[in-house]
Amino acid sequence: MGQLVIVSNRVGIPEKNVSARAGGLEVAVKATLQDKSGIWFGWSGKVATQTKIATQKVVHDKIAYITLDLSKEDHHEYYNGFTNRVLWPILHYRVDLAEFSRRDLSGYLRVNENFARELHEVLEPDDLIWVHDYHLMPLAKALRRRGHKNRIGFFLHIPCPPPEILTTLPNHERLIPSLCEYDLVGFQTGDDAFNFSRYLTRECGLHSRDFNFVVADRKVRIDVFPVGIETAAFADLARRSVRLPFVQRVITSLVGRALIIGVDRLDYSKGIANRLSAFELFLQTQAQWRGKVTYLQIATKSRTEIPEYAAIEQEIGSAAGRINGAYGEADWTPIRYINRPYSHSTLAGLYRAARVGLVTPLRDGMNLVAKEYIASQNPEDPGVLILSRFAGAAHECKAALLVNPYDPDSVAAAIGQALAMPLAERRDRYDSLFKVLSHNDIQHWAARFLAALEQEPRAASELGEMASLGS
Ligand code: ADQ
């Protein structure tokens, strides 16, 4: 086998890395490339000032980081436009927030072509290519057009909605079926894979046997690979980090109150506004807890140039202020609302100090915060995870308190239940969750995906008499 080539929208170039970062994909890809030599290809994160854009290469720890800048136009149309204002909301079931423009779609296709053109310069015939996420759906098609017959896999980190929603995407018939140019298409959950499979059947007339589709003379396999974290390393980090002076200061500042923690990118999919309402309802209906809990919500700003993000920033900031005004005392602030990012070690320490992890996205591909919270707990005295049933993580984390984030009563009740939960039950739930996360950690996830990609039969003939193209 040749090299492993990972392609994603953003590349975390080591020199430019800062200790505090927000973004699950970067965490996942870094861990995958750690034990293999290979290439990580994608956008540098910079917007070019000059018109001629060349790729840059940095080699670090046997990994070649090859990046290119985006032009101002690309950044506007591809990144702020089609990926973040059309694909992100629609794939998160928020059709109401999608802002389509033909120009942004052209920008999206153009950047995918640019990526393919630059990749063409570095690819060898036996390289294994692993493409990440919704920014790059048409990339395999652009590579195939340039004659590349490599095995190419795609993993979608975010949800895949049912065809009834996917078809609201203007030009879906041009974009979604282009995923069939990959050899393997991976999803976070069985529901996501099933939704995509239904799309292919309904909209493209394709039929599968065990999620294997035949398209012309090629085969594409759909499978489920729930992304994990570095469970053991995170547990170890949390053990050490809880002693960090900053974390200790936070613990001291609680003066014995139970800590409830929420950590998210400031994004409408994360359900922070609904969560605040549920917390307010909890304070209203379970008055015995007033003055005895502190809810720390860390919400790092993201995609600030997009109006919907500015709007929720306003909404959440004022809701937190209003609830503090209504329920706070001179010596107690119910909600500590913070916009700055923290390093993973600080987060690990804070997770460990928290009696409750409140993870209630309205829709989430996986949600790594849920897994990080569990990994960070003290096995002797673990906290309780409250988890939205609409996070991909809920498929594995069945021992969490699963809630409907749209139902404030269910979330408020779960907060009370978590705070009052006896030690024996907390331990049982933690043991069962930690076991699942230890087994399916990030190394396991990457190894499974790559093994599946390497093993896939390429030609339809290799599948025997499988069902082929439908009508
Ligand atoms: P994200 O939407 O970025 O990822 P998530 O899975 O929650 O969401 O990952 C967030 C990562 O960023 C975690 O490692 C977390 O610790 C870190 N993070 C979040 N807020 C932070 C803060 N305030 N300070 C520092 N770090 C912070 C996408 C999908 C998810 C999917 C991942 C991985 O949307 O559903 O789980 O990719 O596949």
Side-chain angles (χ1 to χ4, degrees):
M1 187 189 100
Q3 304 185 88
L4 172 62
V5 179
I6 290 196
V7 190
S8 63
N9 169 53
R10 278 290 282 275
V11 170
I13 308 167
E15 281 84 343
K16 303 286 185 296
N17 238 0
V18 282
S19 58
R21 60 193 182 188
L25 176 59
E26 177 173 342
V27 178
V29 171
K30 273 260 164 74
T32 313
L33 274 171
Q34 242 155 35
D35 8 302
K36 295 187 196 315
S37 66
I39 294 176
W40 187 1
F41 181 97
W43 176 32
S44 62
K46 287 188 270 183
V47 178
T49 40
Q50 73 282 23
T51 40
K52 169 109 186 67
I53 298 173
T55 54
Q56 285 157 10
K57 182 173 173 181
V58 175
V59 179
H60 185 86
D61 266 354
K62 296 192 292 181
I63 300 169
Y65 296 82
I66 304 180
T67 56
L68 72 172
D69 298 347
L70 291 183
S71 72
K72 240 175 155 164
E73 215 178 20
D74 290 345
H75 184 251
H76 183 69
E77 295 167 8
Y78 152 83
Y79 186 68
N80 277 339
F82 197 71
T83 59
N84 284 336
R85 296 196 76 188
V86 179
L87 290 177
W88 178 271
I90 291 180
L91 294 177
H92 283 89
Y93 296 62
R94 291 300 302 269
V95 174
D96 57 313
L97 295 180
E99 287 279 344
F100 176 79
S101 91
R102 199 160 286 285
R103 210 170 136 174
D104 290 348
L105 173 61
S106 305
Y108 178 78
L109 296 170
R110 182 177 65 242
V111 169
N112 272 271
E113 283 297 326
N114 291 349
F115 270 39
R117 191 188 59 234
E118 298 300 337
L119 270 169
H120 179 70
E121 301 298 318
V122 296
L123 286 180
E124 299 291 340
D126 53 354
D127 285 347
L128 197 63
I129 307 170
W130 187 2
V131 178
H132 290 260
D133 237 357
Y134 58 103
H135 312 81
L136 301 171
M137 291 196 295
L139 187 65
K141 190 171 183 183
L143 288 171
R144 301 279 185 226
R145 257 203 314 270
R146 286 169 172 78
H148 294 284
K149 298 199 162 40
N150 306 52
R151 282 166 193 261
I152 316 180
F154 177 85
F155 184 77
L156 186 68
H157 288 255
I158 67 173
C160 181
E164 291 78 1
I165 289 183
L166 271 180
T167 47
T168 64
L169 173 66
N171 294 275
H172 66 88
E173 60 280 20
R174 202 167 157 196
L175 281 178
I176 308 296
S178 70
L179 287 170
C180 292
E181 298 289 338
Y182 290 93
D183 297 292
L184 174 66
V185 182
F187 295 93
Q188 300 272 27
T189 70
D191 286 347
D192 299 314
F194 179 65
N195 287 339
F196 179 59
S197 160
R198 270 187 63 219
Y199 175 93
L200 292 183
T201 302
R202 253 182 61 154
E203 297 298 317
C204 311
L206 296 169
H207 296 283
S208 77
R209 179 182 291 171
D210 298 335
F211 277 176
N212 291 295
F213 285 86
V214 173
V215 185
D217 59 344
R218 292 187 55 260
K219 195 208 98 179
V220 53
R221 173 161 182 75
I222 297 172
D223 212 338
V224 180
F225 305 89
V227 68
I229 59 165
E230 294 176 282
T231 312
F234 215 92
D236 192 47
L237 181 67
R239 237 183 335 265
R240 288 181 279 114
S241 300
V242 78
R243 292 197 291 269
L244 289 172
F246 175 73
V247 175
Q248 283 298 315
R249 278 209 306 281
V250 175
I251 294 172
T252 307
S253 74
L254 296 170
V255 289
R257 294 184 176 109
L259 179 64
I260 300 173
I261 194 168
V263 176
D264 309 81
R265 269 189 315 100
L266 194 43
D267 191 293
Y268 48 79
S269 65
K270 303 290 182 184
I272 305 170
N274 300 56
R275 196 182 306 165
L276 287 171
S277 303
F279 182 69
E280 181 176 19
L281 187 65
F282 162 75
L283 293 177
Q284 193 190 326
T285 54
Q286 303 194 44
Q288 73 277 18
W289 286 107
R290 287 187 204 161
K292 296 198 177 94
V293 292
T294 296
Y295 167 25
L296 170 62
Q297 176 61 56
I298 301 172
T300 315
K301 290 185 191 176
S302 71
R303 305 176 190 172
T304 46
E305 291 164 51
I306 300 173
E308 290 78 22
Y309 287 77
I312 58 153
E313 195 185 319
Q314 276 265 324
E315 183 192 354
I316 293 168
S318 67
R322 189 180 47 72
I323 299 167
N324 280 337
Y327 292 90
E329 297 281 353
D331 63 349
W332 173 56
T333 309
I335 303 171
R336 296 185 189 179
Y337 176 61
I338 316 281
N339 288 136
R340 55 156 297 172
Y342 286 105
S343 67
H344 260 155
S345 50
T346 301
L347 284 183
L350 292 173
Y351 289 142
R352 194 175 175 100
R355 173 45 41 103
V356 179
L358 199 46
V359 184
T360 57
L362 303 179
R363 199 57 71 170
D364 216 331
M366 176 54 59
N367 196 298
L368 298 182
V369 169
K371 294 189 168 184
E372 291 167 0
Y373 175 77
I374 289 302
S376 301
Q377 295 310 299
N378 174 0
E380 301 306 316
D381 185 19
V384 180
L385 174 65
I386 298 176
L387 179 61
S388 162
R389 55 174 295 165
F390 303 122
H395 288 244
E396 289 167 283
C397 298
K398 295 200 164 43
L401 293 181
L402 296 183
V403 292
N404 173 4
Y406 293 94
D407 173 8
D409 286 308
S410 95
V411 179
I415 295 173
Q417 186 186 347
L419 289 167
M421 191 178 286
L423 177 63
E425 184 179 348
R426 282 192 276 129
R427 277 194 187 154
D428 282 352
R429 288 177 184 269
Y430 162 82
D431 287 345
S432 137
L433 290 166
F434 192 78
K435 206 163 141 197
V436 173
L437 303 190
S438 298
H439 172 69
N440 183 34
D441 66 2
I442 197 151
Q443 277 79 17
H444 182 77
W445 169 74
R448 267 193 69 224
F449 186 94
L450 291 171
L453 182 57
E454 278 173 279
Q455 278 159 21
E456 278 320 298
R458 308 297 304 283
S461 54
E462 290 177 61
L463 289 167
E465 41 170 62
M466 235 195 72
S468 80
L469 258 180
S471 49

